[in-house]
Amino acid sequence: MSRFQPYSDRDDYNIPSRQDLNPEYNPSQTANYHSSSQQYPPSSEAFVPSTNSFTSNANSYTPVTAQQYPHSYNDMNAQDRVGPLWSEKPGASSGSSKKKWLIIGGIAAVIIIAVGVGVGVAVSHKSSGSKSSSSGTSTGSSTDTKDWVMSINNVVKYNPKDLSQFETDSRLHKSMYGMAYTPIGAILPDCGATFDGVLEDVMLMSQLTTRVRLYGTDCNVTDLVLDAIQQTKTDLSVYIGIYIDNDDTVYTRQRDAVQRILKTYDVNHVLGVTVGNEFILNNMTAAGATDPTGTVGVSAAEFLVAKIQDVRSMISGLGLSKTIPVGNGDAGAYTNVQLLSAVDYFMSNIHPWFGNLAVDQAAGWTWQFFEDNNVAMAAQTTNNPELIIAEIGWPSKSSDAAHATNGPSAADIPTLQTFMDSWICQANTNQTKYFWFENMDQPWKDALYGGVEGWWGLFSSTKQLKNVTIPDCAAP
């Protein structure tokens, strides 16, 4: 599933498309989420990385210097805090693990859940929900919190003079391999993502994971995240995204942004650059095609491969201190050998909710689906691409009764908890690479699509942790 494009999968797995689940869903509504009038990004020469102002110019981003960071920034007028327009669309990632899942509780080996595929139930303990008075990942020595301030949504208390000092939440555990993330306000035409909002998110996510998957560079989202990571001195690293459609203007703008970003920030916080998100799926949907190894799928792959090679060449020319992998993301069943042979990694969106599965079968089904669609195909290549499950999660709500269940299971908090308990710790034990989908609820998706689309967050849109217990087990 993508936050911007329809999710569908192979007919033999009986996964309906999002148009089937929500007849009002119209992928064409998202096709032009970019600004043709804005010439973003600025040249690297124009980028100033060391002042204390956050500009409202839609074509530039000036990071905040930690030593001068004023809490009064939260009180700035909205027009002074709005960044450039977001033309980004999210992508996928998929995790590879050939270890079998332990079957818990006698789940029948039915449909596609094969022998050896199972569900591990993680036992976790409810915490008091209190917040620790110790600093988060602080490198400073100050323990005096009397001058500390609350974050924009009043969920994290931190030192405005040293953003690496912040209170941690005892309900959060670093149990997740990765987190799929888009800030609030990062969508056209009302892009308003701010450093304050992203700072708050980074402080929270750093208590859950060490990896964040981003979906694009527009709206300064990548700048904001990497700036916040550096200011907080957390151990988060990111997969940068470049969105691709059939308009080269969008691709070129974002490729150039990545070039500037890699020259500006600490590349040790960059895990890879993901070129394209669900491009093959979108092209096949538009053409009414169903086989990604057919003419339409192969043609889309060839288009992507040219862009992937272009990005790899651009990165190589920068002479960076480390090699940055270049990959691609798509819906789980929408890839082919031509694409996998050209990438360093492939990110696969796999959502058992859309497979109309009972929640107690969802974890094992996800593993088997990944094995059948991604691991088996990657085995046909000679380059051995890394495989990552980019989106895996469960909705906690539906805005209408028609989508309140997927048939056997509900979109609600208890079912979300069941899926978290069956997936997270067992996936960690098996060294499966995955990104939880997603960080927080997205109100714009609910307004545009309805149903479950806006309710996949671990947190609410106001950054409140939902009534769940985070499994407490170390992530790989």
Side-chain angles (χ1 to χ4, degrees), residues 242-432:
I242 295 177
Y243 177 71
I244 290 182
D245 59 11
N246 293 310
D247 178 359
D248 271 357
T249 301
V250 176
Y251 162 72
T252 301
R253 182 177 67 249
Q254 297 194 30
R255 178 204 61 197
D256 292 348
V258 170
Q259 182 181 49
R260 173 184 57 79
I261 287 164
L262 292 176
K263 291 165 65 177
T264 303
Y265 297 96
D266 183 358
V267 294
N268 289 315
H269 290 290
V270 177
L271 296 169
V273 177
T274 308
V275 181
N277 172 61
E278 299 195 346
F279 182 78
I280 293 179
L281 167 63
N282 295 339
N283 276 263
M284 291 181 58
T285 300
T290 58
D291 181 5
T293 65
T295 302
V296 176
V298 170
S299 177
E302 291 172 347
F303 183 89
L304 281 170
V305 168
K307 299 294 188 281
I308 289 165
Q309 292 173 342
D310 183 48
V311 170
R312 189 176 280 127
S313 176
M314 177 272 289
I315 294 174
S316 177
L318 296 177
L320 300 175
S321 60
K322 62 177 280 190
T323 300
I324 305 292
V326 180
N328 169 258
D330 218 303
Y334 286 84
T335 189
N336 49 46
V337 171
Q338 288 82 355
L339 176 64
L340 292 181
S341 297
V343 298
D344 298 314
Y345 64 89
F346 178 71
M347 300 184 125
S348 175
N349 295 336
I350 305 177
H351 286 281
W353 167 266
F354 291 108
N356 297 335
L357 294 160
V359 69
D360 61 357
Q361 296 178 357
W365 176 90
T366 299
W367 181 90
Q368 190 66 51
F369 182 93
F370 175 70
E371 287 283 310
D372 292 346
N373 287 272
N374 304 133
V375 175
M377 186 167 290
Q380 301 175 42
T381 70
T382 59
N383 57 311
N384 191 31
E386 179 183 16
L387 299 175
I388 307 164
I389 296 177
E391 295 183 2
I392 180 74
W394 198 272
S396 62
K397 181 179 176 180
S398 173
S399 294
D400 56 61
H403 302 96
T405 76
N406 65 354
S409 291
D412 59 23
I413 296 291
T415 313
L416 167 62
Q417 183 71 65
T418 298
F419 184 62
M420 290 175 65
D421 289 344
S422 65
W423 173 264
I424 292 174
C425 290
Q426 189 62 38
N428 293 346
T429 298
N430 288 350
Q431 301 291 302
T432 302

Side-chain angles (χ1 to χ4, degrees), residues 174-212:
K174 226 164 192 171
S175 302
M176 297 184 176
Y177 180 85
M179 179 72 71
Y181 172 64
T182 299
I184 292 295
I187 190 69
L188 283 176
D190 301 315
C191 175
T194 66
F195 183 79
D196 275 355
V198 172
L199 174 67
E200 183 176 63
D201 295 336
V202 164
M203 288 175 172
L204 292 172
M205 288 190 294
S206 70
Q207 301 175 61
L208 292 164
T209 186
T210 60
R211 305 170 186 89
V212 174

Side-chain angles (χ1 to χ4, degrees), residues 31 42 51 87 96-97 133 157 164 173 177 180 214 326 358 361 371 458:
T51 71
S87 70
S96 168
S97 171
S133 61
K157 190 175 183 180
S164 71
H173 307 293
Y177 180 85
L214 303 177
V326 180
Q361 296 178 357
E371 287 283 310
L458 191 61

Side-chain angles (χ1 to χ4, degrees), residues 441-457:
D441 291 340
Q442 298 288 335
W444 72 268
K445 289 195 293 184
D446 182 51
L448 187 58
Y449 305 124
V452 300
E453 290 297 318
W455 307 103
W456 291 76

Side-chain angles (χ1 to χ4, degrees), residues 66 69-74 134-136 144-168 195-197 199-200 203 232:
Y69 182 80
H71 183 58
S72 58
Y73 175 89
N74 286 335
S134 62
S135 60
D144 186 359
T145 63
K146 63 182 178 62
D147 295 326
W148 288 24
V149 296
M150 292 302 297
S151 62
I152 192 169
N153 283 287
N154 296 311
V155 294
V156 182
K157 190 175 183 180
Y158 65 94
N159 183 353
K161 296 180 180 179
D162 181 354
L163 303 186
S164 71
Q165 296 183 336
F166 56 91
E167 288 184 345
T168 56
F195 183 79
D196 275 355
L199 174 67
E200 183 176 63
M203 288 175 172
T232 56

